[in-house]
Amino acid sequence: MDRIAFFVAMTVGGALIAGGLFLAMHRYRFSSHGSRAEGIVVGQSEWRSHQSLFRYPIVEFRTAKGETVRFQGSTEGMTTGTNVGVVYDPEHPYDALISTDASLWAAPFMIALLGFSIILPALYFSLYGPA
């Protein structure tokens, strides 16, 4: 593997791993310091990409101050009427997430995994060369 390709792979992979870790730390702080509420899925937001249709839940909850807030969740597969836990920023209640492992940790994990999937082959080929 030539040096330029190795440098690019290590830079891009390292940036993805760092981004995944940064997002994980942000989500951890958010989930541990945010306010919690019970919400309900009140509808679905649809997004079409080529031949795929994605449905994301619209969640409604009431803040500790009594304000009713609606936001779009990021986890597919929740049906209307489903009760969900919500974590939100009390100063900015529209900054909210559904409080499930998938909602909180899937994106940081996938970003870091993509970074490792770039770095590991680059390291292998730089050490052992093509097969």
Side-chain angles (χ1 to χ4, degrees):
M1 175 175 245
D2 69 35
R3 287 182 174 190
I4 294 174
F6 179 76
F7 176 76
V8 169
M10 296 303 285
T11 302
V12 170
L16 286 168
I17 292 168
L21 290 173
F22 176 80
L23 184 57
M25 290 186 322
H26 177 269
R27 295 273 173 96
Y28 175 76
R29 279 195 307 271
F30 187 79
S31 68
S32 61
H33 297 304
S35 293
R36 298 197 176 269
E38 285 298 314
I40 187 166
V41 178
V42 295
Q44 303 287 323
S45 173
E46 294 185 350
W47 181 72
R48 186 175 299 277
S49 173
H50 301 289
Q51 295 180 352
S52 299
L53 178 66
F54 301 95
R55 289 188 176 97
Y56 297 101
I58 304 296
V59 177
E60 185 176 281
F61 69 97
R62 188 172 300 276
T63 68
K65 295 179 181 178
E67 179 183 2
T68 300
V69 175
R70 279 189 181 195
F71 72 97
Q72 178 179 308
S74 60
T75 305
E76 283 191 276
M78 294 185 171
T79 58
T80 301
T82 303
N83 291 318
V84 295
V86 174
V87 61
Y88 67 96
D89 180 346
E91 298 296 317
H92 306 97
Y94 289 92
D95 186 6
L97 291 170
I98 297 172
S99 184
T100 63
D101 288 341
S103 289
L104 294 171
W105 307 115
F109 175 77
M110 295 303 290
I111 292 169
L113 184 64
L114 180 60
F116 280 113
S117 71
I118 293 170
I119 284 180
L120 293 177
L123 286 172
Y124 177 83
F125 288 119
S126 72
L127 294 173
Y128 302 109

